[in-house]
Amino acid sequence: MSAPRPPLVVVGGGVAGLSVALAAAPRPVLLLARGRDGGDSASALAQGGIAAAIGPGDCPTAHVHDTLEAGACHNDSTAVQYLAEQAPAAIARLQALGLAFDRDDDGRLRLGREGGHHADRIVHAGGDASGAALVAALWRAARAAGHIELREGQQALALLLRGGAVAGVCLSDAQGGSALVETAEVVLATGGIGALFAASTNPAGADGNGLALGLAAGAQARDLEFVQFHPTALAVGEGRGDGQPLPLVTEALRGAGARLYDDQGRPLMAGLHPLADLAPRDLVARTVWQTVQNGEGAWLDATALGEAWPSRFPTVHAACLAHGIDPATQRIPVTPAAHFHMGGLATDRDGRTGVRGLHAVGEVACNRVHGANRLASNSLLEGLVFGHRLGRQFAEAGVLPMPARGTHVWTGSGPAAGAEAMARLRLLLWNALGPVRDGTALAATRRMLEADADGHGWQGRLAVRMLAAALERRGSLGAHYRSDGR
Ligand SMILES: Cc1cc2nc3c(=O)[nH]c(=O)nc-3n(C[C@H](O)[C@H](O)[C@H](O)COP(=O)(O)OP(=O)(O)OC[C@H]3O[C@@H](n4cnc5c(N)ncnc54)[C@H](O)[C@@H]3O)c2cc1C
């Protein structure tokens, strides 16, 4: 009798991990996720939706153009072409899973517009509850799939390598139990790093732990300096450094006519870009940041939506009301916040990291599809398209044999920072590595963290890598803005 084949292990229950797992059928997949039903993923928080050139007069070439323009042409144009061309099929697959996107009175898909897009091309569900609807549909499908074993409440802590190739994963659960799963193939789909910043829209678990795990295993990093800051998070308690997300005030509101103002009621974006309030995110985020740095408030006026608020933007509406703001009659106080990491583990378009058996996909990875700045609503799409592509490869390729030679080595990111050190680190990074950077602050923060190498745990070491990348890129590009740049 032959030994049972080790499963493909997918770490992460967001859009990227689920897309890999579903497409890998009939390969047996073990999917590990820290939370239940993907509730702790960034995917579940997404509001705006998914970009796809499916509207009248739109085409993938136009989507490619907008993606490259937002990304400052730092993108891999072949990856961008693939993303845009595969978008309509990704939407059709979701519809086949039963995801009901919002439609207008004539039954046509209602397409939204966000910053950097020159066409209405964002499909959404439940108004601004797109991510929750998407994640629910994918988890439903994963629970029904015979080839997927789901293990929730499990955290991947370390990778076992043999002769430099993947040989297993060490897991732990909330009760402190741990286990080893033998496998020659692991996909990291662990999301981003936003929770390392004092102001962030990301869930608390988006702390870069998968990125640190991959780096410890010998994978290369790419473009770590490129962090996207969302211009409009709800300005309530920012700067606390407690790792809890600020509610997002979706860009789709500006697509629906909302406008940014300063304390005096002057339009913030007037004359700064032909697309004004829908200019690329980095410019809008820096303008809001500068306004706040000048000691003024930045405000989003979306009162014109009036009674349509609860039905069109129920998530933002509820968040505003919870903080005593009625957005139908009052302007919304906003702040920029860390939102998305364009950088990550360097991969090719097939998610390969260079470590045999180790793949990465979604926000933890950098296949250069987003370049120096992600176009709005392209990241759920990235998870869907490149996750599906990777899953199909696992389905079609032979199973990688377990590495037979070499010494076994455990690779993990090491001890984590305590709560107090994390709060300090988040503030340090927000100030030095935020929307506006300069060499002096970057270098001083790096020196400070290097001098206290153990005090900030693996998060501190990851931060040092990001600061070094930002120092090295002396000029401004995309979301990386150096006020002292060339
Ligand atoms: C508030 C908000 C709104 C957004 N809106 C949009 C939008 O409208 N459109 C768009 O395209 N993008 C949007 N984005 C970005 C997008 O949601 C993310 O980039 C995308 O969902 C990332 O997907 P992912 O699968 O890579 O990671 P995630 O969805 O974050 O999933 C990561 C998963 O990995 C798990 N995990 C992490 N580490 C471990 C570990 N060690 N062991 C086990 N499990 C682990 C987590 O628990 C989680 O389940 C938004 C992001 C935020 C925060």
Side-chain angles (χ1 to χ4, degrees):
M1 211 172 72
S2 61
R5 291 190 313 174
L8 164 67
V9 175
V10 177
V11 186
V15 64
L18 289 161
S19 298
V20 176
L22 287 167
R27 279 283 301 272
V29 174
L30 175 61
L31 189 129
L32 310 173
R34 279 199 303 217
R36 279 197 68 76
D37 292 323
D40 64 334
S41 64
S43 302
L45 294 180
Q47 295 185 354
I50 307 166
I54 51 178
D58 199 4
C59 63
T61 308
H63 189 179
V64 167
H65 178 271
D66 290 347
T67 302
L68 293 174
E69 193 177 26
C73 291
H74 187 65
N75 322 57
D76 170 3
S77 56
T78 310
V80 176
Q81 187 82 34
Y82 186 79
L83 182 83
E85 280 171 358
Q86 293 298 315
I91 300 302
R93 276 197 301 278
L94 292 173
Q95 289 173 314
L97 291 182
L99 179 48
F101 291 110
D102 296 337
R103 292 179 180 273
D104 63 20
D105 293 342
D106 299 323
R108 284 182 299 245
L109 283 178
R110 199 191 273 269
L111 297 175
R113 171 104 51 129
E114 292 186 70
H117 288 274
H118 288 82
D120 296 343
R121 64 165 74 102
I122 321 287
V123 296
H124 45 88
D128 60 3
S130 303
L134 168 67
V135 168
L138 292 173
W139 270 86
R140 233 182 358 255
R143 288 195 191 288
H147 70 289
I148 301 177
E149 181 192 342
L150 293 164
R151 277 202 219 163
E152 293 159 89
Q154 297 282 340
Q155 160 140 353
L157 274 188
L159 293 169
L160 181 65
L161 302 184
R162 185 171 200 194
V166 170
V169 191
C170 173
L171 314 180
S172 77
D173 58 30
Q175 290 71 45
S178 62
L180 163 67
V181 177
E182 287 190 8
T183 178
E185 288 166 303
V186 170
V187 177
L188 293 175
T190 50
I193 48 90
L196 294 178
F197 289 82
S200 161
T201 63
N202 286 198
D207 58 1
N209 81 87
L211 172 54
L213 205 57
L215 295 176
Q220 299 296 306
R222 179 186 285 144
D223 288 351
L224 291 186
E225 66 275 32
F226 293 116
V227 179
Q228 180 175 85
F229 297 92
H230 199 288
T232 56
L234 193 59
V236 282
E238 68 276 19
R240 282 183 309 229
D242 61 2
Q244 293 308 312
L246 298 177
L248 181 72
V249 180
T250 176
E251 198 159 80
L253 276 162
R254 280 175 280 134
R259 293 290 169 262
L260 286 160
Y261 295 94
D262 66 12
D263 278 344
Q264 271 80 51
R266 290 178 298 226
L268 275 188
M269 295 307 299
L272 295 182
H273 190 278
L275 290 172
D277 287 72
L278 289 176
R281 279 190 181 163
D282 60 309
L283 178 62
V284 186
R286 280 198 302 279
T287 308
V288 175
W289 163 273
Q290 205 49 64
T291 305
V292 175
Q293 293 297 108
N294 293 344
E296 289 201 50
W299 305 87
L300 188 74
D301 187 341
T303 50
L305 276 167
E307 289 176 3
W309 255 106
S311 58
R312 286 195 62 190
F313 298 98
T315 311
V316 184
H317 188 242
C320 287
L321 292 183
H323 289 90
I325 303 154
D326 177 0
T329 57
Q330 292 171 286
R331 294 183 305 174
I332 305 168
V334 292
T335 173
H339 188 57
F340 182 80
H341 199 197
M342 278 70 72
L345 293 171
T347 68
D348 61 11
R349 292 189 285 278
D350 297 326
R352 282 185 286 251
T353 64
V355 174
R356 189 169 158 79
L358 184 63
H359 289 74
V361 69
E363 196 169 338
V364 69
C366 174
N367 65 8
R368 298 187 49 223
V369 73
H370 301 298
N373 201 5
R374 172 192 70 128
L375 182 67
S377 285
N378 261 358
S379 46
L380 292 177
L381 181 62
E382 174 200 11
L384 291 165
V385 166
F386 287 99
H388 183 80
R389 175 181 166 120
L390 181 55
R392 288 314 301 152
Q393 282 177 22
F394 285 120
E396 286 154 18
V399 177
L400 204 63
M402 288 295 288
R405 290 201 182 83
T407 325
H408 282 105
V409 180
W410 280 111
T411 60
S413 32
E420 222 173 274
M422 272 312 293
R424 201 165 45 239
L425 181 67
R426 290 189 189 103
L427 286 168
L428 283 172
L429 287 192
W430 180 239
N431 289 323
L433 208 57
V436 177
R437 302 158 174 188
D438 73 74
T440 312
L442 288 167
T445 307
R446 183 168 87 160
R447 271 196 309 276
M448 199 184 305
L449 290 175
E450 280 173 340
D452 185 17
D454 294 333
H456 294 89
W458 61 259
Q459 294 95 332
R461 282 193 298 281
L462 184 56
V464 166
R465 301 274 308 248
M466 294 175 68
L467 290 160
L471 265 169
E472 211 163 288
R473 190 173 293 281
R474 290 169 187 277
S476 298
L477 189 70
H480 171 68
Y481 182 79
R482 290 274 302 252
S483 58
D484 59 344
R486 292 189 298 244

